[in-house]
Amino acid sequence: MCGIRLSNRAQIYHPLKKIRREIRLLHISPGQKVTESIKCHLSVASLDDRPVYEALSYVWGDPRVTKSINLGGRSFRVRKNLWTALKAIRISDTSRTIWIDAICIDQDDKEERSEQVKLMGEVYRGAEKVIAWLGDDTDDVEHAFSVIKAMSDFPDLHFDPRVPPHHDRAVLEPESIESLVQFLDRDWWKRVWTFQEMALASRLEIRFGHRTLTGEKLAAAHENFWSHNTCCYSAFSGEHPGHPIADLDKDFSPLNRMYQYANMVDDFVFPSIMATFRQRQCTHPQDK
């Protein structure tokens, strides 16, 4: 949970009106330098008024590692993964309005937390954009994004170098495919809540440090994979045991179910998605 003193808690969090379906929104102040502290404040809005905001989807991370931000003029501690995300998504010349569960919900108020969880489906569905934060930048991300771009931009090219026309050799290198496998193996893809949030998003942006990938690119790459699964991936991996391309089938399979449910988003709510992805990991057992 976020670490705040009880005296500060009452000053930061004021009761929300259940009948108005109120939520809190976080306004992140502009910032340019990496060393510049994170400053933000909260406001209250009713979902009935259709406020304009974005929503963050992320993994909470280790509760023992926290960082301090300035929330409404007071010190407020958040877990390091969220702190890193706030640094990365902060805009240099204007404020950003976003919904983030760890800050916008009073995590020490069990009753409020319970009521706000009931609204989370509408919160993510009503967001102008959902930002999926996968973590800080790593060396292999550039290779992973290059493979996804190749898969989405050139759907007719084959991944089996024996079948023309095929992708450039650089895309087919084991190191490139392995980077994509590692990208899909990040913690964000393994959590119950994150896949629900992704399925409910009207517009998705995937962030890895300062690198950005649109949801459309990922969806196109996913479609490319399944259209080439038999002619490329299955045949190639069968003849090249140990090649990382064999792991793509396992890593792309959950995405297949997610996209199927996303197409029926108006017909289901959080509990039904949870049933579908109940085998996925949770930070807390009660999330299952």
Side-chain angles (χ1 to χ4, degrees):
M1 299 297 178
C2 303
I4 63 173
R5 297 176 180 175
L6 291 178
S7 58
N8 281 345
R9 175 177 165 271
Q11 295 173 318
I12 291 175
Y13 293 115
H14 303 287
L16 297 172
K17 295 177 181 177
K18 179 180 175 181
I19 193 171
R20 295 196 70 240
R21 303 191 314 138
E22 287 184 339
I23 61 172
R24 297 185 188 90
L25 296 175
L26 183 71
H27 305 273
I28 308 172
S29 299
Q32 294 182 330
K33 298 180 180 179
V34 177
T35 55
E36 193 174 346
S37 62
I38 300 171
K39 296 179 181 179
C40 44
H41 68 275
L42 291 168
S43 67
V44 174
S46 168
L47 287 175
D48 295 332
D49 294 334
R50 297 186 177 182
V52 178
Y53 63 94
E54 298 168 310
L56 186 69
S57 177
Y58 67 107
V59 174
W60 277 41
D62 191 339
R64 298 168 297 180
V65 185
T66 63
K67 292 275 194 175
S68 179
I69 65 172
N70 183 317
L71 180 60
R74 297 175 178 84
S75 177
F76 187 94
R77 299 199 72 82
V78 298
R79 299 187 189 184
K80 185 179 179 182
N81 189 44
L82 176 53
W83 181 84
T84 307
L86 291 171
K87 283 270 189 182
I89 68 174
R90 178 174 55 180
I91 303 173
S92 62
D93 57 355
T94 186
S95 64
R96 181 166 223 156
T97 302
I98 192 166
W99 186 89
I100 302 175
D101 58 355
I103 302 177
C104 294
I105 299 175
D106 183 353
Q107 298 295 330
D108 292 328
D109 186 331
K110 292 183 179 179
E111 183 178 352
E112 176 182 299
R113 199 170 65 211
S114 176
E115 291 300 324
Q116 289 288 291
V117 167
K118 296 175 185 177
L119 297 175
M120 284 176 67
E122 293 183 65
V123 168
Y124 279 95
R125 194 176 350 221
E128 186 177 51
K129 176 172 64 179
V130 172
I131 300 174
W133 172 255
L134 270 64
D136 215 353
D137 206 347
T138 56
D139 293 338
D140 63 332
V141 175
E142 184 176 356
H143 294 296
F145 278 22
S146 295
V147 176
I148 291 173
K149 189 175 185 299
M151 293 175 73
S152 62
D153 292 351
F154 305 101
D156 296 328
L157 297 186
H158 294 278
F159 273 76
D160 188 336
R162 302 165 302 179
V163 182
H166 56 72
H167 283 281
D168 184 88
R169 289 281 179 180
V171 176
L172 302 174
E173 288 294 328
E175 292 79 8
S176 298
I177 302 299
E178 177 62 29
S179 69
L180 177 57
V181 171
Q182 292 180 5
F183 169 76
L184 294 171
D185 196 45
R186 300 285 295 188
D187 284 345
W188 188 87
W189 305 101
K190 302 175 183 178
R191 297 296 193 264
V192 170
W193 288 111
T194 51
F195 250 42
Q196 297 167 51
E197 294 155 5
M198 182 179 179
L200 291 166
S202 60
R203 181 181 166 206
L204 179 70
E205 177 182 286
I206 299 169
R207 291 291 299 266
F208 214 133
H210 290 283
R211 299 180 187 276
T212 301
L213 179 70
T214 65
E216 290 80 7
K217 287 285 186 186
L218 181 64
H222 165 264
E223 184 176 347
N224 176 303
F225 172 79
W226 290 109
S227 66
H228 286 265
N229 190 35
T230 301
C231 65
C232 289
Y233 300 103
S234 296
F236 186 77
S237 61
E239 296 183 19
H240 296 78
H243 194 287
I245 205 167
D247 293 325
L248 285 179
D249 188 21
K250 170 178 63 70
D251 290 317
F252 268 116
S253 290
L255 278 175
N256 191 41
R257 292 196 299 275
M258 191 283 298
Y259 282 121
Q260 288 176 344
Y261 273 76
N263 291 330
M264 301 182 292
V265 70
D266 291 331
D267 299 326
F268 62 76
V269 292
F270 259 28
S272 63
I273 313 177
M274 288 181 71
T276 302
F277 299 111
R278 63 183 177 274
Q279 77 279 8
R280 298 172 65 81
Q281 299 175 12
C282 299
T283 300
H284 302 291
Q286 63 263 35
D287 287 346
K288 284 193 175 182

